């Protein structure tokens, strides 16, 4: 009989005779059957489907890298593009059922024919129950970058919830432009901060530096830059930002995408992750050694930091499929430094961009075909499948999520909750 190490520690049967041994073996087989049984179809919500990973462990044919790579949408055997989209909550492991709950929904609530209005900096403002997000800075179809700054927008979650019974409600939810004053130049990442929103902005041209901005989420949307240099040196193009749940220090990533999208000069420092204490003004580098450090988040208890590396994608300079499309996990030490870097996950579709955790410590990232979800050990347990890429998304409290997919905006309901950090001090 083969060995099943994952059963060790679950039970112990002491054999005293051949018959006892045979009965024990039978009990073991029965127990094993319960472990290996597929997820019961009665447990699967209407908008979900099980993806059997064994069905594609060995494929009859595989295509060479020039034909099938990180840009390709993977369709498991027995599925089609339509069937994957019709039930967008893909269960790779039974753990995902707890996350999506009994009746998850996914609704397209806005659409833009060409202009990628729905890009990043997805932030829930609890007081007004609104979600903010930004346009893609540097995208050709947006005419942003040197010509004009990417805009900030918002929606009411009450409006989104009212149409959540539909699969497509584009045009039924009002998307409002937020006129920050002064203009936050090319915002990209964002998070809650002391009752306001802090944006990681990419800057514009040679003389408008990348900066951290704090904006009032209420009219008149007044904004203030709180950091725009590292000892006099310009940052490259700030990308994402997160607040540590305990210290309330601001951590942010800096990378090359302003340069790679033609609206920032060539980089003057290496791509790095920084830590900023706004009370003392201290700015420190906490991690380097990335290709393009991008998304950043903390585990709900603040013990781990997660950084996505989108080295595979160098913007207008093209793709290199041998570079990282990875998530790295760090231990967060008591003094706020990052230690013990390890590879947490590698995305098979596109590259992991925006990243967030739920209150259970599961890790979510925007990838090439939707939102991928890993458990705390780095095992892929499910997807919210869009059939296209998403740069960022975020929870809006308990059971709600807004997903930016460039020309489409989605509202999802599920059972998990986001790790909302109230950084009031």
């Amino acid at each position: 009989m083969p060995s099943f190490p994952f059963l060790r520690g679950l039970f112990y049967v002491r054999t005293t005779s051949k018959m006892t041994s045979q009965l024990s073996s039978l009990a073991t087989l029965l127990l094993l059957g319960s472990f290996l049984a597929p997820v019961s179809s009665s447990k699967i919500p209407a908008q979900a489907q099980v993806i059997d990973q064994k069905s594609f462990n060995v494929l009859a044919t595989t295509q060479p890298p020039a034909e099938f790579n990180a840009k390709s949408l993977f369709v498991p055997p027995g599925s089609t593009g339509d069937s994957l989209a019709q039930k967008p909550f893909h269960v790779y492991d039974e753990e995902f059922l707890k996350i999506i709950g009994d009746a998850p929904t996914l609704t397209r609530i806005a659409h833009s024919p060409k202009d990628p209005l729905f890009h990043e900096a997805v932030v829930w403002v609890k007081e007004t129950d609104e979600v903010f997000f930004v346009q893609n800075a540097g995208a050709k179809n947006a005419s942003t970058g040197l010509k004009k700054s990417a805009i900030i927008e918002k929606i009411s979650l009450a409006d989104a919830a009212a149409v959540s019974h539909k699969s497509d409600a584009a045009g039924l939810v009002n998307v409002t432009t937020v006129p920050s004053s002064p203009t936050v130049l090319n915002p990209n990442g964002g998070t809650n901060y002391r009752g306001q929103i802090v944006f990681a902005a990419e800057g514009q041209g040679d003389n408008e530096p990348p900066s951290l901005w704090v904006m009032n989420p209420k009219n008149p949307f007044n904004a203030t830059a709180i950091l725009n240099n590292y000892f006099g040196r310009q940052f490259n193009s700030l990308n994402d930002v997160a607040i540590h749940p305990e210290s309330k220090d601001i951590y942010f990533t800096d990378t090359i995408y302003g340069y790679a999208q033609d609206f920032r000069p060539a980089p003057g420092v290496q791509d790095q992750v920084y830590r900023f204490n706004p009370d003392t003004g201290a700015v420190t580098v906490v991690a380097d050694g990335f290709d393009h450090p991008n998304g950043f988040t903390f585990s709900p208890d603040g013990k781990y930091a997660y950084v996505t590396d989108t080295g595979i994608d160098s913007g207008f300079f093209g793709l290199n499929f041998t570079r990282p499309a990875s998530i790295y996990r760090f231990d967060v030490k008591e003094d706020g430094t990052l230690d013990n870097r390890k590879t947490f996950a590698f995305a098979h579709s596109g590259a992991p961009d925006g990243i967030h955790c739920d209150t259970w410590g599961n890790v979510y990232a925007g990838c090439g075909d939707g939102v991928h979800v890993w458990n705390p050990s780095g095992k892929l347990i499910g997807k919210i499948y869009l059939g296209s890429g998403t740069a960022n998304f975020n929870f809006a409290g308990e059971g709600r999520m807004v997903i930016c997919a460039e020309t489409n905006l989605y509202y999802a309901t599920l059972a998990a909750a986001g790790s909302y950090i109230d950084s009031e001090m």
Side-chain angles (χ1 to χ4, degrees), residues 1 10 40 43 96 116 138 169 177 200 219 228 252 385 409 413 419:
M1 181 177 177
L10 293 176
S40 170
K43 295 181 180 180
F96 195 52
T177 299
N219 193 43
N228 71 357
F252 60 95
Y385 184 82
L409 184 69
T413 64
S419 296

Side-chain angles (χ1 to χ4, degrees), residues 8 13 15 36 99 110 135 212 220 264 275 289 325 362 402 420:
R8 291 172 188 166
V13 179
T15 57
L36 297 183
I99 288 171
Q135 184 184 30
L212 290 178
R264 283 284 295 146
R275 174 191 180 198
N362 299 298
V402 172
Y420 180 82

Side-chain angles (χ1 to χ4, degrees), residues 150-366:
I151 61 173
I152 302 170
E153 305 149 279
K154 67 173 183 172
I155 60 167
S156 162
L157 282 174
D159 291 348
V163 296
S164 61
H165 61 287
K166 299 176 178 286
S167 61
D168 193 349
L172 300 181
V173 174
N174 189 37
V175 178
T176 304
T177 299
V178 175
S180 59
S181 179
T183 300
V184 177
L185 291 172
N186 291 315
N188 191 78
T191 193
N192 304 96
Y193 177 71
R194 299 183 179 184
Q196 302 188 80
I197 298 174
V198 59
F199 286 109
E202 297 184 272
Q204 193 172 58
D206 290 343
N207 300 316
E208 297 291 350
S211 307
L212 290 178
W213 289 81
V214 172
M215 188 193 79
N216 180 357
K218 298 179 182 178
N219 193 43
F221 307 108
N222 45 299
T224 303
I226 59 172
L227 179 69
N228 71 357
N229 74 94
Y230 182 72
F231 296 92
R233 299 171 68 177
Q234 287 190 2
F235 296 109
N236 295 331
S237 123
L238 302 192
N239 195 281
D240 202 8
V241 59
I243 310 296
H244 189 270
E246 296 297 329
S247 71
K248 305 302 191 293
D249 282 351
I250 302 173
Y251 290 70
F252 60 95
T253 58
D254 184 40
T255 189
I256 69 160
Y257 285 119
Y259 172 62
Q261 291 183 295
D262 290 341
F263 65 91
R264 283 284 295 146
V269 294
Q270 67 174 330
D271 290 355
Q272 301 179 126
V273 180
Y274 295 81
R275 174 191 180 198
F276 175 48
N277 184 316
D279 296 319
T280 67
V283 184
T284 56
V285 175
V286 292
D288 63 9
F290 304 94
D291 275 30
H292 305 321
N294 197 315
F296 189 99
T297 198
F298 291 103
S299 60
D301 58 8
K303 292 182 179 179
Y304 299 114
Y306 296 93
V307 184
T308 65
D309 190 335
T310 50
I312 189 176
D313 187 352
S314 291
F316 296 161
F317 294 104
L319 300 171
N320 183 340
F321 298 120
T322 68
R323 305 313 302 165
S326 306
I327 300 172
Y328 298 104
R329 190 184 78 184
F330 295 82
D331 294 338
V332 182
K333 301 177 71 173
E334 289 187 9
D335 62 2
T337 56
L338 305 185
D339 199 8
N340 297 329
R341 166 175 160 157
K342 67 163 288 185
T343 301
F344 176 78
F346 178 83
H348 67 267
S349 177
D353 195 329
I355 186 168
H356 301 282
C357 288
D358 64 25
T359 55
W360 296 315
N362 299 298
V363 179
Y364 302 60

Side-chain angles (χ1 to χ4, degrees), residues 382-399:
K383 295 182 186 180
I384 303 175
Y385 184 82
L386 306 179
S388 63
T390 171
N392 217 326
F393 61 96
N394 210 345
F395 286 95
E398 185 174 352

Side-chain angles (χ1 to χ4, degrees), residues 8-70:
R8 291 172 188 166
L10 293 176
F11 61 89
Y12 176 72
V13 179
R14 182 178 181 181
T15 57
T16 56
S17 67
K18 183 177 180 180
M19 179 64 72
T20 304
S21 178
Q22 290 172 338
L23 290 173
S24 176
S25 297
L26 178 59
T28 300
L29 286 170
L30 291 173
L31 179 60
L32 177 62
S34 68
F35 270 85
L36 297 183
V39 179
S40 170
S41 59
S42 63
K43 295 181 180 180
I44 305 302
Q47 293 298 309
Q49 58 181 299
V50 174
I51 304 297
D52 179 11
Q53 296 185 76
K54 286 186 176 181
S55 70
F56 54 85
N57 286 161
V58 178
L59 296 172
T61 58
T62 59
Q63 297 168 287
E67 297 178 28
F68 191 90
N69 48 54

